[in-house]
Amino acid sequence: MFDTLAPVTILHADLDAFYASVEQLLDPDLRGRPIAVGGGVVLAASYEARAYGVHAGMPGWQARRLCPRLRFVGGHFREYQRLGDAVIAVLHDFTPVVERISIDEAFLDVRGSTHLFGPPAAIATEIRRRVRGEIGLAVSVGVAGTKHLAKVASQVAKPDGLVVVEPGREREFLRPLPVELMWGVGPVTRERLAARGIATIGQLADVSPATLEGLLGAAAGAKLAALAVDRDGRRVHAGGRAGSVGAQSALGRRTPTPELLAVALAHLADRVATRLRAAARAGRTVTVRVRFVGRRSVTRSLTVAEPISATRTLAELAVDLAGAALADHPAEREITLLAVSVSNLVPEPALQLVLPLALDGDRRRPGTARWALDRSVDAVRARFGREAVGFAAVQLSDLGGVPDAFRELAQRDP
């Protein structure tokens, strides 16, 4: 039976309005002003801008209409990485059990550290003090007995706060909170729940798991039913190497023409393969996910004999897999998302070119001229930036809006 009196040793630390806060840290003239990172699309907004309704993903024109004083700034992506890493280093000063889940947030388990630094609440207070004093950023922290509850608590603590959920008060704490604070509740799920009169976590907890499974699907319904009553047995795992590397792109509603598939999947393959090579990894299993209108998704996978990290090879395999998925669902006329991932990873030392260099019939072999070409592209990007070189079809397409450097921060591998 789930132990509601488990010790509250799990912390969730989440930097406040991270990207916008970094810009305000780098340029003092921006402090206290409504700013947004981006241009055509809002990538991140400061709390001052959020007060006007500006939020990430909003078109720039709409954000300017809501907040005429809004100032757009370009992103300092290397600074985001540097400062995010600096915060994680502070967390490691308190415990080795740190699970980084994004550039600006992480879980900690401090059960083995209390004899050195005091109770969890005191550790959270000291973390906040050090991050503010040494790095110049605000971090909100939630302290609880489960990962789910700690993450919810950190959201309640924002901005720049600390919330501790004591043992035995979990249900009382969760009950009045809006369902969108829960892991896995996005806009679509929130709307489905609202249509059934479910707006708070307490109301969600009162619904039977069977009803939720019928409404949201078996997996999502069972998961939310458990989390609504804080039934979460997941542990904090110290960072290790990723078991897979992936990327996805939301497309709106598009007809899956061969041209769209080629460009979108080349873009995703470039992002995935670049990250694989940067980590000196390659993978044998390629998976493509296609999402149709209505959020129904299908996946297709292929395991090849030799591990791959070549961009063009991955793109070609991804196009084949996406084509197979679409051929199996001829009634679907539009897609909304494509995703590519590579798993079954192995170390990839520097490869020797395998002769002959002709590409015909050789696209799945790792030691081809493609690998050498990719390394040259990687070297150019390392020196001049990611946007310095890329696929012409991708660069000239309308699939942009979010810089790849920003995407890479969000999808950083452990």
Side-chain angles (χ1 to χ4, degrees):
M1 184 175 176
F2 183 74
D3 183 7
T4 58
L5 297 180
V8 290
T9 61
I10 295 178
L11 279 60
H12 181 256
D14 193 352
L15 290 159
D16 296 333
F18 175 60
Y19 302 107
S21 295
V22 169
E23 299 300 330
Q24 292 174 324
L25 177 66
L26 298 176
D27 183 355
D29 288 341
L30 299 178
R31 295 175 188 172
R33 298 181 58 182
I35 70 166
V37 180
V41 175
V42 176
L43 303 179
S46 67
Y47 280 108
E48 296 85 355
R50 293 181 189 185
Y52 289 87
V54 178
H55 59 78
M58 175 178 287
W61 65 265
Q62 185 179 2
R64 291 186 178 92
R65 177 177 294 177
L66 290 173
C67 181
R69 295 175 50 243
L70 183 67
R71 178 171 172 181
F72 276 90
V73 297
H76 291 79
F77 300 104
R78 291 185 179 178
E79 287 301 297
Y80 299 156
Q81 189 68 70
R82 180 182 69 83
L83 292 168
D85 290 346
V87 172
I88 296 299
V90 170
L91 303 184
H92 275 287
D93 286 344
F94 292 89
T95 175
V97 189
V98 176
E99 181 181 346
R100 188 176 192 173
I101 59 174
S102 72
I103 185 68
D104 58 352
E105 61 178 316
F107 288 104
L108 305 78
D109 193 329
V110 298
R111 71 182 64 222
S113 307
T114 54
H115 66 292
L116 295 173
F117 303 108
I123 293 175
T125 298
E126 182 62 11
I127 286 172
R128 296 182 63 247
R129 186 194 68 79
R130 284 191 53 187
V131 170
R132 170 72 81 176
E134 298 174 16
I135 302 171
L137 296 172
V139 59
S140 294
V141 182
V143 184
T146 65
K147 291 174 76 172
H148 163 64
L149 196 56
K151 184 171 174 63
V152 171
S154 72
Q155 306 314 300
V156 174
K158 286 181 175 293
D160 194 17
L162 167 64
V163 169
V164 180
V165 183
E166 298 293 348
R169 300 191 61 186
E170 294 87 355
R171 298 281 295 273
E172 175 187 350
F173 172 77
L174 286 172
R175 191 162 188 83
L177 299 178
V179 292
E180 53 263 35
L181 290 184
M182 297 178 65
W183 241 333
V185 178
V188 173
T189 300
R190 182 184 61 202
E191 290 176 8
R192 288 183 181 178
L193 293 173
R196 295 294 186 94
I198 302 169
T200 68
I201 298 177
Q203 291 170 333
L204 185 65
D206 292 338
V207 178
S208 71
T211 299
L212 289 178
E213 290 175 21
L215 178 63
L216 304 174
K223 177 183 177 182
L224 290 184
L227 294 181
V229 294
D230 194 37
R231 196 158 49 242
D232 181 10
R234 294 169 300 164
R235 301 301 179 193
V236 179
H237 297 287
R241 301 207 75 160
S244 65
V245 174
Q248 66 181 33
S249 180
L251 305 172
R253 294 178 63 149
R254 300 284 192 100
T255 301
T257 63
E259 294 76 18
L260 174 68
L261 295 179
V263 172
L265 292 170
H267 186 210
L268 294 173
D270 186 26
R271 289 162 55 190
V272 171
T274 299
R275 288 162 57 200
L276 283 170
R277 294 191 298 272
R281 308 282 274 177
R284 292 190 175 92
T285 301
V286 179
T287 301
V288 169
R289 178 162 63 98
V290 180
R291 190 172 73 192
F292 303 114
V293 176
R295 300 187 67 84
R296 189 168 70 88
S297 297
V298 295
T299 61
R300 293 293 182 271
S301 297
L302 174 69
T303 297
V304 296
E306 298 288 345
I308 62 171
S309 66
T311 297
R312 188 173 174 186
T313 301
L314 178 57
E316 290 171 343
L317 294 175
V319 169
D320 289 348
L321 290 169
L326 291 167
D328 290 339
H329 296 81
E332 299 289 352
R333 301 298 185 186
E334 294 180 313
I335 61 174
T336 62
L337 178 142
L338 288 168
V340 174
S341 65
V342 176
S343 57
N344 199 2
L345 303 184
V346 296
E348 181 192 51
L351 293 172
Q352 298 296 319
L353 293 182
V354 175
L355 296 176
L357 294 183
L359 299 181
D360 291 344
D362 193 38
R363 64 177 181 164
R364 295 176 188 176
R365 298 177 66 185
T368 66
R370 295 181 175 188
W371 188 87
L373 175 62
D374 285 335
R375 289 293 175 174
S376 297
V377 171
D378 294 341
V380 171
R381 286 173 168 172
R383 183 173 181 181
F384 299 106
R386 182 172 179 84
E387 304 304 320
V389 62
F391 287 95
V394 174
Q395 301 286 67
L396 298 175
S397 74
D398 61 351
L399 294 176
V402 179
D404 279 349
F406 198 88
R407 298 179 191 270
E408 297 306 318
L409 288 175
Q411 297 175 322
R412 183 179 185 273
D413 301 314

